Amino acid sequence: MPQPKDLDPYTDARAFYGSELRRLREAAGMSQSELGDRVFCSGTYIGMFEMAERRPQEDMSRAFDELLGSGEHLQRLCRLARKSKVAGYFADAAELEKRARSIEEYAPMLIPGVLQTRAYATALTRGTMRRTSDEGVERTVSARMERAQLFSCENRPDFWAIIHEAALRVPIGGLPTMRDQLAHLVETAQAHPHAILQVLPFSAGFHPFLNTMSSLMQFADAPPVVYTEGAYTGQLVEEAALVAQYRSAYDLARAVALSPEASLALIASAAKDCDR
């Protein structure tokens, strides 16, 4: 079980939350395991909050306050610590993405965010956030572009993406933008050996993930999780049995998808089609 480290509580809001949770827990004479038992999670999970390795959760912060007699102290700190550059429903997954040892994505209709060009991301954001100001759109797009740094960071994860052929054919932002986006996919795969792309062709027929974007993340020091996303919403899945079911479905998609070589050839061909 992780042991609480000496955090500088003033480093950021999450570190302050972690140090306060530890202080209140110890003042109540409870171990991480004991507190975890009371809120139906493991002591390891409590340790991750205290070490600022996981973003605080609103429902758990409410339970902590009730158990530790801290009023709404941790709930208020939770709201502060959960502020993020990305959409609230994706924020937890975005943090985990930075720690993942491997990331395996399935994209049914849109190019995965981490693989998007700025022009593609801008067109997509403007289409889904029609009432957002230009500044708001730029903040969202810039945050998405920052995620691409995982391909070049020192502890970069192994990355595998299965993209349905439909995502190659929907001309987001117009044909020139789509051509550049598809060329970017090929260039990314060729420049980063740890990034593998496959295309699930129309001929593959039905698949359990057909209408669901999914991202499976594995870690060196924590159980695997799955993030799924739809329009304006997303969910982090941590239940072991359900994660295993997603794992099995992803392996099936990988088995029926085109090979990486054939996939890049199809993507390149789709890019050329944008010029016709």
Side-chain angles (χ1 to χ4, degrees), residues 38-257:
R38 298 287 294 276
V39 296
F40 307 104
C41 73
S42 67
T44 299
Y45 203 56
I46 298 297
M48 288 181 176
F49 288 135
E50 294 186 359
M51 294 188 292
E53 292 184 354
R54 292 294 299 268
R55 280 163 47 87
Q57 305 295 316
E58 294 181 8
D59 55 344
M60 295 195 74
S61 296
R62 187 179 306 110
F64 292 152
D65 277 333
E66 292 176 359
L67 285 169
L68 302 175
S70 47
E72 296 184 357
H73 180 55
L74 291 173
Q75 294 173 70
R76 290 194 294 270
L77 289 181
C78 175
R79 288 192 287 272
L80 183 63
R82 288 186 62 82
K83 288 186 176 181
S84 174
K85 294 180 181 180
V86 300
Y89 58 80
F90 177 61
D92 291 329
E95 291 296 326
L96 290 174
E97 193 175 69
K98 298 174 184 176
R99 296 178 44 230
R101 182 185 65 188
S102 68
I103 300 172
E104 297 160 290
E105 294 206 3
Y106 174 81
M109 288 296 295
L110 301 171
I111 303 302
V114 73
L115 293 170
Q116 292 176 9
T117 63
R118 178 172 287 275
Y120 182 98
T122 298
L124 189 60
T125 302
R126 289 191 184 282
T128 55
M129 302 170 63
R130 293 184 179 277
R131 296 187 178 183
T132 302
S133 66
D134 290 343
E135 292 78 8
V137 170
E138 177 58 28
R139 284 195 298 270
T140 297
V141 172
S142 293
R144 192 166 301 173
M145 295 300 99
E146 288 179 13
R147 291 175 55 209
Q149 295 176 4
L150 68 82
F151 288 117
S152 56
C153 66
E154 183 177 352
N155 297 317
R156 57 183 178 270
D158 292 330
F159 182 85
W160 198 304
I162 300 174
I163 303 173
H164 197 281
E165 186 176 353
L168 310 181
R169 306 298 183 182
V170 181
I172 303 296
L175 292 177
T177 293
M178 198 65 200
R179 178 196 60 221
D180 293 345
Q181 172 62 76
L182 296 176
H184 176 68
L185 292 180
V186 175
E187 292 166 1
T188 299
Q190 292 175 339
H192 301 283
H194 64 286
I196 298 176
L197 303 184
Q198 283 185 276
V199 173
L200 189 68
F202 290 125
S203 59
F206 174 78
H207 186 272
F209 286 167
L210 198 58
N211 64 344
T212 304
M213 174 272 162
S214 302
S215 179
L216 292 77
M217 291 179 273
Q218 298 190 73
F219 311 90
D221 56 356
V225 301
V226 173
Y227 172 73
T228 66
E229 186 175 287
Y232 308 109
T233 186
Q235 179 182 9
L236 196 63
V237 178
E238 300 182 85
E239 181 183 347
L242 194 51
V243 170
Q245 193 169 2
Y246 274 93
R247 168 82 278 156
S248 178
Y250 194 89
D251 289 342
L252 175 61
R254 183 161 28 215
V256 297

